[in-house]
Structures are given as structure tokens and as C-alpha cells.
Amino acid sequence: MDADPQEVARFGQQLTALQRQLYVYVAQLVGNPADADDVLQEANRVMWEKYAEFTPGTKLAAWAYKVAYFEV
């Protein structure tokens, strides 16, 4: 089944809005800004790859933080 374009757009907008918060979180965990950039980039890749596993209407921030944590 194909993803609803509106849901994909909403996911992208919400994920974009979380980027600064996620960066700060990752930077605190890794302690190095360059490493934080790399980890966040990989976490974003994973989140888009696993988009189908995210349930719309649930807390994207909680899911994104967990993905970022696992990437650290």
C-alpha cells in the first residue's frame, strides 16, 4: 500500500521542526558537534527509511528521540 502524500508531508514537517531539539539531544550524548551532525544525519535517514513503522497521530518526538538514541 502506498503512503498517503499528506501524511508523508506532515511527517516531514514535524520531523523538520524537531531537528534543533534532536541535535541538542544528540550533541549532549556524544559530546562533539561534528559527531552530533553525523549521528543526526544517520538518525534522519533511519527515520525516513522506517517511516512506514511510524503510526500517524502518535508522538513523533518520542519516536525520533528513541531512534536518535539508538544511532548514538
Side-chain angles (χ1 to χ4, degrees), residues 7 9 14 24-25 28 31-33 35-36 38 45-46 49 60 63 65 70:
E7 288 297 332
Q14 291 174 345
V24 169
Y25 174 68
Q28 289 174 342
N32 179 316
D35 290 342
D38 292 342
R45 186 194 65 75
V46 169
E49 185 178 280
L60 176 62
W63 184 74
Y65 276 82
F70 284 125

Side-chain angles (χ1 to χ4, degrees), residues 3-12 51 56-57:
D4 176 5
Q6 289 179 328
E7 288 297 332
V8 174
R10 189 173 299 117
F11 177 85
Y51 166 76

Side-chain angles (χ1 to χ4, degrees), residues 6-72:
Q6 289 179 328
E7 288 297 332
V8 174
R10 189 173 299 117
F11 177 85
Q13 290 167 344
Q14 291 174 345
L15 187 57
T16 298
L18 285 171
Q19 291 302 292
R20 181 71 184 147
Q21 293 169 286
L22 286 170
Y23 174 81
V24 169
Y25 174 68
V26 169
Q28 289 174 342
L29 293 175
V30 300
N32 179 316
D35 290 342
D37 286 334
D38 292 342
V39 170
L40 183 56
Q41 182 176 359
E42 184 62 16
N44 281 312
R45 186 194 65 75
V46 169
M47 285 183 265
W48 277 106
E49 185 178 280
K50 295 183 177 279
Y51 166 76
E53 296 176 23
F54 176 72
T55 305
T58 62
K59 294 191 183 278
L60 176 62
W63 184 74
Y65 276 82
K66 187 58 81 174
V67 171
Y69 174 81
F70 284 125
E71 288 308 309
V72 170

